[in-house]
Amino acid sequence: QVQLVESGGGLVQSGDSLRLSCVASGGRFSDYEMGWFRQAPGKEREFIAAISWSGGIPDHADSDSVKGRFTISRDNGKNTVYLQMNALKPDDTAVYYCAACSICTPSNPAEYDAWGRGTQVTVSS
């Protein structure tokens, strides 16, 4: 079973950028599709983006909340998936999770096989 560890979160100001990283171990990273989700207090876990093992055309959420500002990428040589977040807003404040699945519907969190513990992102106005 693959283990995932996120990093890169923190406290930033509105308009800033952050790049989150998620390092995988204990499995063959290139076997997995990787996804990023977030969860704000009192809200459901929200899909942000996913990327296949080949790094082909990534799947980004179509919602206006993240569209055009967040970009997923991966480096199989480093067993790492990234989430570049630009033009951050206070509404982006949440715990951000990466997840791995062998075969799944990318936007469905219930179909993922492994999750990291998350990294907190707080955006002040």
Side-chain angles (χ1 to χ4, degrees), residues 46-108:
E46 176 187 13
F47 169 72
I48 299 172
I51 190 165
S52 67
W53 68 270
S54 67
I57 299 175
D59 185 0
H60 290 90
D62 210 25
S63 64
D64 291 339
S65 61
V66 298
K67 191 175 182 180
R69 297 188 297 121
F70 291 9
T71 304
I72 191 171
S73 62
R74 70 189 289 164
D75 185 337
N76 287 345
K78 295 182 178 179
N79 287 0
T80 302
V81 61
Y82 304 99
L83 184 68
Q84 178 67 42
M85 306 188 295
N86 298 327
L88 284 162
K89 307 173 183 179
D91 285 348
D92 296 320
T93 296
V95 178
Y96 285 70
Y97 299 90
C98 72
C101 67
S102 300
I103 299 173
C104 66
T105 303
S107 60
N108 186 355

Side-chain angles (χ1 to χ4, degrees), residues 19-49:
R19 188 176 79 158
L20 305 183
S21 300
C22 172
V23 178
S25 62
R28 194 164 74 175
F29 183 64
S30 59
D31 284 348
Y32 294 94
E33 174 142 10
M34 300 298 297
W36 282 100
F37 294 78
R38 69 183 182 185
Q39 189 163 19
K43 294 187 177 181
E44 292 187 353
R45 195 159 292 192
E46 176 187 13
F47 169 72
I48 299 172

